[in-house]
Amino acid sequence: MSDLTLAVDIGGTKFAAGLVEPDGQVVTAERAATPQGGDAETLWRTLTSLLDRLDVPAALAGVGVGCGGPMTWPEGEVSPLNMGGWRGFPLRGRLAARFPGVPVRIHNDAVCLAVAEHWCGAGRGSAAMLGMVVSTGVGGGLILGGRLIDGGTGNAGHIGHVVVDPEGPPCGCGGNGCLEAIARGPGLAAWALAQGWSPGDAATEGDLYREEGTATARRLAADAAAGDAIALAAMARAGRALGVAIASAVNLCDLDLVTVGGGLSQAGDLLFGPLEEALREHTRMEFAGRVRVVPAALGQDAGLVGAAALVIEGDRYWRPGL
Amino acid sequence: MSDLTLAVDIGGTKFAAGLVEPDGQVVTAERAATPQGGDAETLWRTLTSLLDRLDVPAALAGVGVGCGGPMTWPEGEVSPLNMGGWRGFPLRGRLAARFPGVPVRIHNDAVCLAVAEHWCGAGRGSAAMLGMVVSTGVGGGLILGGRLIDGGTGNAGHIGHVVVDPEGPPCGCGGNGCLEAIARGPGLAAWALAQGWSPGDAATEGDLYREEGTATARRLAADAAAGDAIALAAMARAGRALGVAIASAVNLCDLDLVTVGGGLSQAGDLLFGPLEEALREHTRMEFAGRVRVVPAALGQDAGLVGAAALVIEGDRYWRPGL
């Protein structure tokens, strides 16, 4: 048996697959754009042709998969919100048939990013951590007692649906006033537009905010950096909402660390300043005051690293007996 | 060695101590009123005279203690908010000196109540549960993956400081808009008084709302039951705040069960009706919709049962290595 793990990262913008060493090093990786509007088999063929391009050894330690939610878990029938072609698609089962005899483990993509930060990134050594992604949506994963918390159904970590304003705007989940409704890129851009913001000509180069649907949020951040009052207010509103939701999570779960990744997190102090201010206002108990909020440390391979960790570090990141 | 565990429950109203069988049965228990305004040694003597009245066997399986917070943990130097005589008092150390050679384990009293409900009460079998107490304060404990979550410093479970209204009233913790600021008994009575409520003559018999400081809340609940509009609005406001905070916890931690105990929980539908309504509005994701909110099942021995569980069921309710 090889000591390499096959890692797969399935998102609405791109598919990635790679081979990962036992220490978390990604040896080789392949990427492809997600076929927009593709049906179930088109999406599956995109994945299998990626796998064909990798030199996957005959024997593997296992297969780890991160995929957008929702999904049945741990069964891994996936219905990613932004991939209409897969509804109840047996992704774990298909991969298990292709790679028989080794564990095939799947989790939410935001959970995999949190796991990656805890294993190899900014969260190393934390006993109680929330790993967040702030982008088109707001997601996360919880590590408590040094172990990934899956909750009853694999859905722990939905920080985006902590309520920050019970009378707030409607959320994609069907509720209202959730953090995600306010702080997701498109949500904060929509708020700014409603306040009369007129998008300027921002630079669109580089790797910032490359996630689908955040182009407008990118312009918003650039306008805020240039001093536009409405854009600044929009970033402050999102930052404060993040701070309030993080405070609730810290008070409830006694966290020592929160990592924040995703495109919007690259807005820097425009977002993190108001975030810290609101967080400190709402974490006044001594234990809660120790929490640190830091940017995620891993780059574009983070999803692969976290998916591989489900197999390589299963004692910490996978529930025994599953 | 005996198979009995000594359990101690230290609160602002009463001290209790008892002997507990391995199955959670309380064999014998003694209670005494907390000496109001007592200094450190007066409080300690109250406890030791309770222990003297118990027929404590020479050999014990261990000593489990629940005590009001805050405390250093797991060291167990306690500074209970409502017991000014103990500030940094080495309660665990004192008990360890008195009962050498056996484990002496201490936790927050609200955490012990959650543990008791999970071990022997309404939470049996739950993989992901929040046990709450709604009374003079609002506290709780988190059980995830079938294990007590202590967070980094033993403070996980502070549901009372989940933020339900970032612009809400000041809280005793120094923040504002916390659940506890709105839903604690004295807080909701104060709101009603500010709205022009004039307390009626409610029955004060029986065991309801016996916790310190909730006498006014008891009258408020009785007035609400009699149809008083302001009293009804106050109960609805507290119930909705509870529902919003529980929703945030459910979405973040993927809970399947929430138990609610404490005096105010006995207000029944006046509180649970608005709670359920707000909870369902804010838990629209499929996984979150499964959560049930139920009254706590254990009576006045719950604190002793939970304290004993720290020893008897240490694999689930105590962190290995502490």
Side-chain angles (χ1 to χ4, degrees):
Chain A
M1 190 163 97
S2 160
D3 60 1
L4 288 176
T5 295
L6 173 64
V8 175
D9 182 15
I10 302 288
T13 306
K14 65 169 171 47
F15 285 13
L19 294 169
V20 181
E21 297 269 17
D23 65 355
Q25 286 291 324
V26 177
V27 186
T28 174
E30 294 284 344
R31 292 180 169 76
T34 307
Q36 298 305 312
D39 66 10
E41 294 308 320
T42 303
L43 290 162
W44 173 246
R45 275 194 306 273
T46 301
L47 176 56
T48 54
S49 61
L50 259 194
L51 299 176
D52 291 340
R53 277 154 52 194
L54 279 179
D55 187 20
V56 179
L60 281 170
V63 182
V65 186
C67 184
M71 68 178 73
T72 62
W73 183 90
E75 296 81 7
E77 299 195 345
V78 304
S79 310
L81 279 181
N82 47 9
M83 249 178 280
W86 278 354
R87 285 296 172 268
F89 182 78
L91 179 58
R92 203 203 65 85
R94 287 283 186 100
L95 286 165
R98 191 179 164 112
F99 300 100
V102 297
V104 180
R105 297 173 177 172
I106 188 166
H107 230 311
N108 184 284
D109 51 1
V111 167
C112 288
L113 291 175
V115 163
E117 290 297 326
H118 189 257
W119 182 29
C120 297
R124 268 182 289 196
S126 168
M129 173 192 132
L130 170 67
M132 294 181 68
V133 189
V134 185
S135 175
T136 313
V138 177
L142 269 178
I143 284 129
L144 300 174
R147 298 180 49 81
L148 178 66
I149 296 297
D150 51 57
T153 66
N155 281 291
H158 272 90
I159 181 74
H161 302 281
V162 165
V163 180
V164 294
D165 177 3
E167 311 303 322
C171 181
C173 74
N176 64 289
C178 299
L179 170 62
E180 180 169 286
I182 294 169
R184 67 191 290 259
L188 91 114
W191 182 85
L193 289 166
Q195 305 298 310
W197 171 60
S198 165
D201 294 324
T204 56
E205 287 171 36
D207 209 21
L208 298 179
Y209 316 113
R210 68 184 189 286
E211 289 91 345
E212 183 188 22
T214 57
T216 312
R218 179 177 57 229
R219 283 204 296 270
L220 185 71
D223 279 7
D228 180 276
I230 297 176
L232 278 167
M235 298 304 283
R237 179 169 173 267
R240 289 194 60 85
L242 285 161
V244 168
I246 291 172
S248 288
V250 168
N251 292 337
L252 180 62
C253 298
D254 190 9
L255 304 174
D256 53 41
L257 187 73
V258 178
T259 64
V260 184
L264 271 176
S265 71
Q266 301 184 27
D269 282 349
L270 293 173
L271 197 73
F272 281 89
L275 184 163
E276 276 286 337
E277 187 179 85
L279 171 64
R280 298 307 163 187
E281 285 171 21
H282 292 285
T283 49
R284 294 295 178 89
M285 292 181 290
E286 191 177 346
F287 77 84
R290 80 187 191 289
V291 73
R292 292 180 306 121
V293 178
V294 302
L298 302 178
Q300 68 167 357
D301 281 343
L304 293 176
V305 171
L310 302 177
V311 173
I312 299 171
E313 293 283 324
D315 285 352
R316 288 192 280 170
Y317 305 126
W318 193 249
R319 195 203 297 173
L322 286 187
Chain B
M1 189 164 97
S2 160
D3 61 0
L4 288 175
T5 294
L6 174 63
V8 174
D9 182 15
I10 302 287
T13 306
K14 65 170 171 46
F15 284 13
L19 295 168
V20 182
E21 297 268 17
D23 65 354
Q25 285 292 322
V26 178
V27 185
T28 174
E30 295 285 343
R31 291 180 172 74
T34 306
Q36 298 305 312
D39 67 8
E41 294 308 320
T42 303
L43 290 162
W44 173 246
R45 277 195 304 274
T46 302
L47 177 56
T48 55
S49 61
L50 256 194
L51 298 176
D52 291 340
R53 277 153 55 195
L54 277 179
D55 187 19
V56 180
L60 281 171
V63 181
V65 185
C67 185
M71 69 178 74
T72 62
W73 183 92
E75 296 82 6
E77 299 193 346
V78 304
S79 311
L81 278 183
N82 47 10
M83 250 178 281
W86 279 353
R87 285 294 171 269
F89 182 79
L91 179 58
R92 203 203 66 83
R94 288 282 186 101
L95 287 166
R98 192 180 163 112
F99 300 100
V102 296
V104 180
R105 295 172 180 175
I106 189 166
H107 230 310
N108 184 283
D109 51 0
V111 167
C112 288
L113 291 174
V115 163
E117 290 296 327
H118 189 256
W119 184 28
C120 298
R124 268 182 289 196
S126 168
M129 173 192 132
L130 170 68
M132 293 181 68
V133 190
V134 185
S135 176
T136 313
V138 177
L142 268 179
I143 284 128
L144 301 175
R147 299 181 49 82
L148 178 65
I149 296 297
D150 50 58
T153 67
N155 281 291
H158 272 91
I159 180 77
H161 302 280
V162 165
V163 180
V164 296
D165 177 3
E167 310 303 322
C171 181
C173 74
N176 64 290
C178 299
L179 170 62
E180 181 169 285
I182 294 169
R184 68 191 289 259
L188 91 115
W191 182 85
L193 288 166
Q195 305 298 310
W197 171 59
S198 165
D201 296 323
T204 57
E205 290 170 34
D207 209 22
L208 298 181
Y209 315 113
R210 69 185 187 286
E211 289 90 346
E212 184 188 19
T214 58
T216 313
R218 179 177 58 230
R219 284 204 295 272
L220 186 71
D223 279 7
D228 180 276
I230 296 175
L232 278 167
M235 299 302 285
R237 180 168 172 270
R240 289 194 60 85
L242 285 161
V244 168
I246 292 173
S248 287
V250 167
N251 292 337
L252 180 62
C253 298
D254 189 10
L255 305 174
D256 52 43
L257 187 73
V258 178
T259 65
V260 184
L264 271 176
S265 70
Q266 300 182 29
D269 281 351
L270 294 173
L271 197 72
F272 281 89
L275 184 163
E276 275 286 336
E277 187 179 86
L279 172 64
R280 297 308 161 186
E281 285 171 20
H282 292 285
T283 50
R284 294 295 178 87
M285 290 180 291
E286 191 177 346
F287 77 85
R290 81 188 191 288
V291 73
R292 292 179 306 120
V293 179
V294 301
L298 303 177
Q300 69 168 356
D301 282 343
L304 294 176
V305 171
L310 302 178
V311 173
I312 299 171
E313 293 282 326
D315 284 352
R316 288 192 279 171
Y317 305 127
W318 194 250
R319 196 202 296 175
L322 286 187

